Amino acid sequence: MTDTAQTTSPESTAEVDVRFRDASLPIEERVENLLAQMTLEEKAGLFFQTMMTIGEGGTVAGPDPAFGIADSTEMIRDRHLTHFNVFGAASTAAEMAEWHNRVQEVAASTRLGIPVTFSTDPRHSFSDNPLAAMMAGPFSQWPETMGLAAIRDEELVERFADIARQEYTAVGIRVALHPQIDLATEPRWARQSATFGEDPDLTSRLGAAYIRGFQGSELGPDSVATMTKHFPGGGPQKDGEDPHFPYGREQVYPGGQFKTHLKPFEAAFDAGTSQIMPYYGMPVGTEYEEVGFGFNKSVITGLLRERYGFDGIVCTDWGLISDGEIGGEPFPARAWGVEHLSPRERMRKILYAGADQFGGESIPELLIDLVRSGEVAEERLDVSARRLLREKFRLGLFDAPTVDPARAAAIVGNAEFVAAGEAAQRASVTLLKNDGVLPLARGAKVLVRGFDPELVASYATVVDTVEEADVALVRLHAPYEQRSTMFENFFHAGSLDFAQETVDEVLAIARAVPTVVQVFLDRPAILTPIAGEVAAISADYGASAVALLDVLFGDAAPQGRLPMDLPSSMDAVRANRPDVPFDTADPLYRFGHGLSY
């Protein structure tokens, strides 16, 4: 390999010393060689990780105004961005791999040819929340993280993560914006289905297994780096509201349990997590500064960097600096505690808090101006740039930036992986009550509510009235309140009580025929009004209707156990201290409860 190469990029005609491309050299030497050649503009581009859409037919995408996403080529060539969160999914893995390669070709055409690092929110389960999780698309489909917690099997969690790693790397995704190891100590919180539940010890064990499955024993060319979140624990939300929104900006600790929420992160550090994401929330009534965690030097530098010795990448949650729009509706920056600061002041505060990247932002010109004005030293940029470049080298992106579409088609969603995901869905089902009605008999006469009758007809005889039925099968979703904007309604929040009309309908059926209720617990629904009168209650945390029916009709046995308490009333929920695990009085069903047959 020659030491220099003449660039053909229109940006510059200067020679580039390409020793950083020599895989035989130590990574630190490659990092320093590359960093020394980078312009301020090229360094600044490293600091921004924003969304990129997949172009139709595997092409490089243009802008997506509905979600404020800019043209892909412009972001790479003009703004020098090299980190992107993949938005949406292609129809096939091969198409997604082709798209990835086309984007890497754009990156290779720049002066230094720095490859793109692609990240993703969780995309192996059933959620479809544009800024929190994606539908599975061509990937194998598994329970939500809460469902993995219900199975309580570290080996299974590590296997899931290893399968997800293989599917991610096959299409070029190299950073997982997960696991989410917050403790679900506030029953109303909207984000808990992506957690491992309420128990710090279970979360610690399973979170570490998850990281091992994605990263391996150490980060390398076959790894997916994990961005573990949300440091220092995003569960203790005031009134259970989420800090994506102004009314959820405060995290509170009336039980004095701040340290309890750190336990899963200590396990994640031991497992070697490569990255950390602080949450939006601002701590209230603690020893730490009352600003959002992404702005919080006492948390990022004092706690994470100094106390825990973490020297990996810290990327903020999305949109701390700039106001935006989602679906045509205003979406203000999540600048909690620093709303009064200008965007440039927010950016500077984040940098000096100790973060390395601005999630969901694409404004390198502001960072460049901060350096040129003397408000931020270029040496401060070099500290983070080294971390960001080092990971690209460790992941092997400079040595093998593209992927094989045929291999992606063979790996992603293959029969073995799909079968493993379906088995996990069935195993996660948690039987809360059974008066002997389950498993249902094949061919039984069944009244159906909430399931597709045609699907149920492959297991039983579907009837139209309670008078004809041997049993009723009712599928419910944990309650939530409607909020004022489209995006807010992706975050299921508010009361956990079912609407009275829903309760009345279930009770009317249950008083006429033995009734089985199957409830999706993305939050812990209050089942007290119906629990005494229905014949059986079964819970899931994201499973296909087929997986659920397989369990209900006895083709598989329920194995799940509750990963959290189910409260008995909203009064108990309101009295719950948000930072304290298992603090609701007299729960209807306790953590660990689960029957089988």
Side-chain angles (χ1 to χ4, degrees), residues 266-559:
E266 292 168 353
F269 300 143
D270 289 341
T273 188
S274 179
Q275 302 194 31
I276 287 289
M277 178 189 286
Y279 205 26
Y280 294 123
M282 53 180 282
V284 174
T286 72
E287 64 186 274
Y288 301 99
E289 184 182 5
E290 292 193 0
V291 297
F293 288 122
F295 301 94
N296 204 311
K297 185 174 183 179
S298 59
V299 168
I300 297 176
T301 294
L303 184 58
L304 180 60
R305 297 285 194 207
E306 295 175 355
R307 176 179 164 187
Y308 286 116
F310 181 75
D311 193 38
I313 294 168
V314 176
C315 178
T316 73
D317 214 327
W318 263 225
L320 268 62
I321 298 170
S322 308
D323 295 339
E325 287 188 356
I326 292 183
E329 297 167 337
F331 193 42
R334 275 67 72 207
W336 312 140
V338 296
E339 293 93 336
H340 60 287
L341 296 183
S342 66
R344 68 185 298 115
E345 291 169 328
R346 294 172 189 171
M347 183 175 285
R348 185 179 184 279
K349 187 169 179 63
I350 290 168
L351 282 172
Y352 284 106
D356 302 298
Q357 266 193 329
F358 311 108
E361 301 281 357
S362 56
I363 45 174
E365 64 277 6
L366 183 56
L367 180 56
I368 292 165
D369 188 59
L370 281 168
V371 174
R372 288 184 173 155
S373 69
E375 295 171 67
V376 172
E378 189 167 352
E379 290 77 12
R380 168 62 189 89
L381 267 61
D382 290 347
V383 172
S384 292
R386 286 186 177 92
R387 291 191 183 108
L388 295 160
L389 292 172
R390 186 182 300 124
E391 180 161 283
K392 287 181 184 287
F393 283 112
R394 292 179 72 187
L395 292 172
L397 288 170
F398 282 91
D399 308 318
T402 60
V403 297
D404 179 355
R407 181 174 179 272
I411 289 176
V412 175
N414 69 53
E416 177 190 349
F417 293 174
V418 168
E422 291 172 347
Q425 292 174 41
R426 292 190 292 268
S428 68
V429 174
T430 305
L431 185 56
L432 302 176
K433 177 183 179 178
N434 186 16
D435 285 350
V437 69
L438 293 177
L440 299 173
R442 286 278 187 166
K445 296 177 181 179
V446 180
L447 179 72
V448 176
R449 296 288 186 270
F451 281 94
D452 178 358
E454 290 187 15
L455 183 59
V456 178
S458 63
Y459 294 81
T461 301
V462 177
V463 298
D464 296 327
T465 66
V466 292
E467 289 78 14
E468 300 171 88
D470 300 320
V471 66
L473 183 54
V474 177
R475 191 175 187 186
L476 300 176
H477 188 298
Y480 59 95
E481 297 174 0
Q482 289 292 316
R483 297 293 171 90
S484 60
T485 69
M486 173 271 295
F487 187 58
E488 282 177 284
N489 286 312
F490 282 112
F491 293 80
H492 294 170
S495 174
L496 299 168
D497 275 328
F498 285 103
Q500 190 59 47
E501 62 185 294
T502 301
V503 173
D504 291 344
E505 181 182 7
V506 172
L507 291 180
I509 296 171
R511 288 166 183 168
V513 65
T515 298
V516 176
V517 170
Q518 175 71 47
V519 58
F520 171 49
L521 294 180
D522 62 340
R523 300 192 304 154
I526 292 172
L527 299 167
T528 307
I530 65 172
E533 300 205 42
V534 299
I537 303 175
S538 180
D540 71 278
Y541 318 87
S544 72
V546 170
L548 298 178
L549 292 170
D550 282 350
V551 173
L552 296 174
F553 282 87
D555 292 349
Q559 299 176 40

Side-chain angles (χ1 to χ4, degrees), residues 198-210:
E198 193 168 0
D199 182 66
D201 293 329
L202 181 65
T203 299
S204 296
R205 290 191 287 106
L206 299 185
Y210 194 106

Side-chain angles (χ1 to χ4, degrees), residues 104-157:
Q104 294 292 14
E105 288 171 3
V106 175
S109 74
T110 61
R111 187 179 77 91
L112 294 172
I114 297 173
V116 165
T117 304
F118 282 112
S119 66
T120 184
D121 290 294
R123 54 173 68 239
H124 275 83
S125 51
F126 292 79
S127 292
D128 186 17
N129 181 334
L131 293 191
M134 299 291 177
M135 293 184 75
F139 297 89
S140 57
Q141 201 162 24
W142 295 68
E144 301 285 350
T145 312
M146 190 77 86
L148 296 176
I151 302 171
R152 280 170 162 67
D153 184 338
E154 290 175 58
E155 290 185 8
L156 176 67
V157 170

